[in-house]
Amino acid sequence: MPSLSTDFFDYALPEHLVAQTPAARRDASRLLVVDRAAHRLSHHTFADLPDFLRPGDTLIRNNAAVLPARLHAVRRTGGQVECLLLRPHDGESVWRCLLRPGKKLPPGTVFASPDAEFTGEVIEKSPDGSALVRFTTRTGEPLTTVARRLGDVPLPPYIHRAGTAAERADDLVRYQTVYADPARSVAAAAPTAGLHFTPELFARLAAAGVGTADVTLHVGLGTFKPITTPTVEAHEIHREIYELPAATQRILFGAHQEASAPGRRIAVGTTSVRTIEDFLATHDAALTTDFFGEASLFIYPPRPFRGVDALITNFHQPRSTLLCLVAAFLAPDSTDGIGWLREIYAEAIAREYRFFSYGDAMLIL
């Protein structure tokens, strides 16, 4: 088929629709429901979600927790340093990081937090702008423990903060799903479709016979990287580590093989979709053990979906890989979803839905 122009996934968004703060209550966000079979849209709030699910459905959600990974430090010369932890490179001592000001921090540079709770030494710079940094902590505790105490949430670049203590406290809670596993503090960005859920909403869903299953995908900053190539196919997709528990694998294959009215597999967010479809691209049956892999799958139209029957997702940035995934899901194995996606987003803009991480949601059935 002909190459897909990246321009197909571009749109103009009024700046005031970029959500800077979350809704007052998580499930008070708006919910745009897309009925693919009827080719129909309807408008609701997220608290209405149980009205669209049925007994036997399973919500498959990414339980990765966001680490407060933005650390502030000073060099021995007194210069300020901002260090964003990306992923551990060698246990807890060496991390892949983004540093500011990067050009002024060559290998050998040493910096420390103002109270010397941690010290970092730049040991290697990479062509992609990242750096390897060796850390020590004053008490010998893991760096992640220090980060939870001192670090700021690595909010997306389109969210602007004054940096007050109250904002930090609020973001530590709200830029995190209620089901995030603290033992899996592996995400550089929140799986934002899950931000709308509350414990009370999960209780209602459970009472209605809707189950949950977890995956863990290490959401990286590549999720914010726009497509800069003229065609979608030319874009180099980012890679992300994931874990798919054996219990979730059984649900995927059990629902797929059930003979009579199987429950739907409802992915909470594009990160869950990427995890599921990457695994199913190379596996035809559930394993007896948890699976650890690295997602390198780039989902764009036309593409079939093996393990996802419905999708909950936020509204995504122009020219993003996430828009490509949603367009593919709107019309599996076809390119028809591209035009429909543009219509849906135009409707959302006209009705002033709130966009991006702290914004509203969409349910595609």
Side-chain angles (χ1 to χ4, degrees):
M1 61 167 288
S3 297
L4 289 179
S5 170
T6 304
D7 292 341
F8 291 158
F9 301 94
D10 201 1
Y11 66 93
L13 180 68
E15 188 173 345
H16 74 278
L17 296 185
V18 179
Q20 296 297 310
T21 58
R25 180 178 168 84
R26 289 176 185 264
D27 60 4
S29 299
R30 296 167 71 185
L31 180 68
L32 194 161
V33 178
V34 181
D35 184 330
R36 291 181 292 177
H39 205 86
R40 183 176 61 226
L41 307 181
S42 57
H43 304 278
H44 309 269
T45 64
F46 202 83
D48 298 328
L49 179 65
D51 296 342
F52 300 94
L53 306 188
R54 57 189 184 224
D57 287 346
T58 301
L59 293 164
I60 303 175
R61 59 195 191 180
N62 182 6
N63 66 3
V66 180
L67 181 69
R70 198 177 300 279
L71 301 175
H72 300 280
V74 293
R75 287 174 282 169
R76 288 170 174 168
T77 59
Q80 299 292 313
V81 175
E82 182 180 284
C83 176
L84 177 61
L85 305 174
L86 298 179
R87 59 186 180 275
H89 180 78
D90 180 16
E92 274 285 336
S93 61
V94 178
W95 282 70
R96 177 72 61 183
C97 304
L98 289 179
L99 299 173
R100 290 183 179 176
K103 293 182 178 179
K104 295 184 178 180
L105 301 170
T109 301
V110 175
F111 54 84
S113 61
D115 51 9
E117 284 207 47
F118 70 84
T119 300
E121 180 185 1
V122 182
I123 57 177
E124 181 183 304
K125 301 293 287 288
S126 298
D128 64 2
S130 66
L132 290 180
V133 179
R134 179 179 289 111
F135 290 94
T136 57
T137 60
R138 184 172 59 192
T139 62
E141 62 189 341
L143 181 65
T144 49
T145 301
V146 175
R148 290 189 192 97
R149 188 165 59 248
L150 299 181
D152 292 334
V153 174
L155 293 172
Y158 45 73
I159 294 179
H160 308 293
R161 284 282 184 269
T164 67
E167 288 175 338
R168 178 183 185 274
D170 191 47
D171 288 328
L172 285 171
V173 175
R174 296 301 303 273
Y175 196 65
Q176 194 84 271
T177 64
V178 297
Y179 51 84
D181 184 348
R184 290 174 165 82
S185 296
V186 295
T192 54
L195 296 180
H196 309 283
F197 285 92
T198 66
E200 296 80 9
L201 183 56
F202 276 123
R204 288 174 56 204
L205 289 164
V210 177
T212 60
D214 290 334
V215 303
T216 305
L217 182 123
H218 300 213
V219 188
L221 293 179
T223 192
F224 298 118
K225 183 180 179 182
I227 302 174
T228 57
T229 53
T231 63
V232 167
E233 294 89 341
H235 178 74
E236 184 177 351
I237 192 67
H238 58 288
R239 294 172 174 265
E240 294 168 317
I241 297 169
Y242 68 89
E243 175 185 349
L244 193 62
T248 303
Q249 296 174 41
R250 290 193 294 272
I251 288 171
L252 292 176
F253 285 101
H256 184 60
Q257 296 166 358
E258 194 75 30
S260 58
R264 294 170 297 182
R265 300 156 297 182
I266 303 170
V268 180
T270 56
T271 63
S272 296
V273 176
R274 194 168 191 229
T275 301
I276 293 165
E277 295 298 323
D278 190 271
F279 176 79
L280 293 180
T282 55
H283 294 80
D284 293 318
L287 306 176
T288 58
T289 59
D290 297 348
F291 178 80
F292 295 83
E294 186 177 48
S296 57
L297 188 63
F298 187 6
I299 299 176
Y300 55 84
R303 182 180 178 85
F305 289 80
R306 292 187 59 195
V308 182
D309 303 305
L311 170 63
I312 299 170
T313 187
N314 278 20
F315 294 92
H316 302 294
Q317 295 181 82
R319 306 179 80 87
S320 67
T321 60
L322 307 183
L323 272 186
C324 295
L325 185 154
V326 175
F329 191 75
L330 283 168
D333 228 358
S334 166
T335 58
D336 293 346
I338 298 172
W340 196 16
L341 178 73
R342 296 175 69 88
E343 294 174 12
I344 292 169
Y345 269 53
E347 170 84 356
I349 291 170
R351 289 179 176 260
E352 298 215 320
Y353 275 72
R354 301 168 77 238
F355 277 58
F356 308 160
S357 296
Y358 272 154
D360 296 317
M362 178 163 56
L363 170 63
I364 305 174
L365 296 172

